[in-house]
Amino acid sequence: MALRRPITKIAGRASSVAKLAPIASTSSRISQSPWSNTPQNSMATVVRPVTQDATSSKGPTAMVFMNMGGPSTTDEVGTFLSRLFADGDLIPLGRLQSYLGPLISRRRTPKIQKQYAAIGGGSPIRKWSEYQSLEMCKILDRISPETAPHTPYVAFRYADPLTEDMYTRLLEDGFGRGRGGRAVAFTQYPQYSCSTTGSSLNELWKWRERLEGKRASGGTDPDGAITWSVIDRWPVHSGLIEAFAQNVEAQLANYPEETRKNVVLLFSAHSLPMSVVNRGDTYPAEVAATVYAVMQRLGFSNPYRLCWQSQVGPSAWLGAQTSDTVQEYVKKGQTDLVLIPIAFTSDHIETLFELDQEVIHEAGHPGVKRAESLNGSPIFIQALADIAHAHLRSGESCSRQMGLRCQGCKSERCLEQKKFFVGQSNLLSVR
């Protein structure tokens, strides 16, 4: 992987970083859980930080971009779908998950292979993720020399590079295994959902436990493990909003000036099963917050709606569906529409095929267009760097919102994952 370099080789990127000092001994690590063991407690409570003896610079820092991922070739589609439909966090199928997941993925593989073939033979999400993370780290090295050098990694949930492969590379590159080091899990879903960011964090926590946690060491947290923190949501960051707004303005400029203000803006986000929404998932509210912030930046120049795409299966999903929304507006004579992928940070199958080749093609009218995705936008990449810089300076392991479980959450895995990441704040406070 082109982004990997051993710590000993990258240390020269920042003159303020001489070497990576070890994390303090086990005896000086946390001896008390930051969470109450009572089942009624749904909020993380961090204990008073303990003192560690280690003194070191704050770099190097691993910056790990987390996302769903996508098959890079049509041959990878079957494996990608098998992993996706096996994930009960994303597509809850209940007790029949292990049976229905493989069945659905096998049946859908030929159809989805044709869709990826139609957009060039594979998803561009890995290309964009690696580009965005690398460019962000270049900016971070300049604006945050105290945490430099910053090394980019990508961890996908259902496609290569998988989370476990990323974690293995971290260890091979000199992080952890008695050497300590700092890593930031940076979700590339701006709006938090248990189905997306939550699932990726569950996977990250699982592999941390297997590779350098209690399961790897026989029941105790090992000395010198990686210290983790999480950027778990950023739905209204000013840079993100500006990048979206400029893409909308660029597409609106293609309409005649005399009719431009009447173009309807349709913000489209990936839908969720209603079982997840009714459990208390924050995603719908955070997507709506992004939409409102973009419209505020645009001065509410146009009428707009939020709709939802990519429903799978017969169960109830959050609506109205994007395809139905476009069809209904066209029937009503509203044929000037701009689709805006508001929950995606780069192009992939949902934009290049579902929106471009299905929704827009089926609308059958040249007035239906799509705003560009964020992809290589310099404004967006600067926003990523600003978000990461603020996080690194905050000393926090995650947002306060992440510590609160959904009202209907009964997942023990989710609880243990949150315990771990919230508890990392004790280690960050003494770095």
Side-chain angles (χ1 to χ4, degrees), residues 29 34 208 226-229 397 419-429:
R29 293 173 70 87
R208 189 267 177 188
I226 298 169
T227 300
W228 282 95
S229 64
S397 62
K419 283 182 181 180
F420 170 74
F421 287 113
V422 172
Q424 291 286 283
S425 62
N426 293 282
L427 302 178
L428 293 171
S429 64

Side-chain angles (χ1 to χ4, degrees), residues 128 131-132 135 345-346 373-381:
W128 285 121
Y131 175 80
Q132 291 165 347
E135 294 303 307
T345 57
S346 70
S373 298
L374 298 175
N375 293 337
S377 162
I379 295 171
F380 174 62
I381 292 171

Side-chain angles (χ1 to χ4, degrees), residues 20 23 56-61 180-182 227 427-431:
L20 175 64
I23 298 296
S56 68
S57 67
K58 295 183 178 181
T61 307
R182 170 82 185 272
T227 300
L427 302 178
L428 293 171
S429 64
V430 295
R431 283 180 63 86

Side-chain angles (χ1 to χ4, degrees), residues 43 77 108 117 120 133 175 182 211 229 237 242 372 392:
M43 189 71 184
V77 169
R108 288 181 62 84
S133 61
F175 291 90
R182 170 82 185 272
L211 295 176
S229 64
H237 184 270
E242 183 64 25
E372 287 294 321
L392 290 167

